[in-house]
């Protein structure tokens, strides 16, 4: 399997919350979105929503990886974006989209700052700071897209192929 790739792309239209980087997203077989409340209950709801949605789409074999990715991205948004967002603009959104070949996960937040992936060297015992390393290990590809006037969407691609 090729190593995961992260990239930054041009800003999408305001309506492109789900998989804003993907040119072919408009042909998605299915898409779903959920506003995430930043906290334990909100993260648990996001994981349950992800698992239930992937089950309905018959890609539940990707549910464990997707739930971990959703948790890491939502926690990053809650920690690094929401506290610095203007009052009234603190929403974090989860987007899921699937087509025949891939599952796309997006987490959109109100901060335009670039996600920072720290080098895994020397971080193995730290409690925090490894989230994007985990995402990188699970994803086929990931990156982020600015959402003007403020905010970004971090996206992840997972194959829908069943395990061998």
């Amino acid at each position: 399997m090729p190593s995961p790739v992260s990239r930054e792309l041009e800003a999408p239209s305001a309506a492109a919350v789900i998989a804003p980087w993907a040119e072919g997203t408009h042909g998605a077989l299915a898409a779903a979105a959920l506003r995430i409340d930043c906290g334990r209950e909100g993260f648990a709801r996001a994981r349950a929503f992800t698992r239930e949605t992937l089950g309905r789409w018959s890609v539940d074999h990707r549910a464990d990886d997707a739930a971990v990715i959703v948790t890491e991205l939502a926690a990053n948004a809650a920690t690094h974006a929401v506290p610095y967002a203007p009052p009234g603009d603190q929403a974090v959104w989860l987007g899921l989209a699937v087509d025949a070949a891939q599952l796309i996960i997006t987490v959109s937040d109100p901060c335009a700052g670039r996600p920072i992936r720290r080098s895994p060297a020397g971080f193995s015992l730290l409690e925090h700071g490894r989230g994007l390393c985990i995402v990188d290990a699970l994803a086929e590809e990931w990156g982020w897209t600015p959402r003007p006037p403020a905010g970004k969407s971090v996206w992840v691609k997972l194959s829908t192929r069943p395990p061998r």
Side-chain angles (χ1 to χ4, degrees):
M1 175 185 298
S3 71
V5 177
S6 172
R7 60 187 170 156
E8 175 183 354
L9 298 175
E10 295 300 315
S13 69
V17 172
I18 297 179
W21 59 273
E23 295 170 13
T25 301
H26 303 292
L29 297 176
L34 173 75
R35 182 172 184 199
I36 301 173
D37 294 325
C38 295
R40 277 188 208 175
E41 291 177 15
F43 297 158
R45 183 170 176 237
R47 284 189 298 273
F49 175 81
T50 299
R51 288 180 181 283
E52 291 166 10
T53 302
L54 298 188
R56 281 195 311 273
W57 294 344
S58 299
V59 287
D60 46 337
H61 58 279
R62 297 312 316 248
D64 289 340
D65 289 347
V68 169
I69 289 167
V70 165
T71 301
E72 293 298 336
L73 295 181
N76 282 352
T79 302
H80 302 293
V82 171
Y84 306 103
D89 187 22
Q90 299 175 328
V92 174
W93 285 90
L94 166 62
L96 302 170
V98 68
D99 64 23
Q102 63 191 2
L103 168 66
I104 298 119
I105 301 167
T106 60
V107 173
S108 301
D109 67 52
C111 180
R114 169 185 214 95
I116 298 171
R117 180 188 176 275
R118 297 188 176 145
S119 170
F123 287 98
S124 61
L125 298 177
L126 293 180
E127 185 175 339
H128 300 286
R130 297 177 300 155
L132 289 178
C133 291
I134 293 168
V135 169
D136 191 47
L138 295 174
E140 287 194 11
E141 187 176 0
W142 73 274
W144 71 287
T145 305
R147 290 184 316 120
K152 69 177 165 299
S153 292
V154 180
W155 52 264
V156 176
K157 283 175 46 176
L158 296 175
S159 170
T160 57
R161 289 186 309 267
R164 294 179 188 188

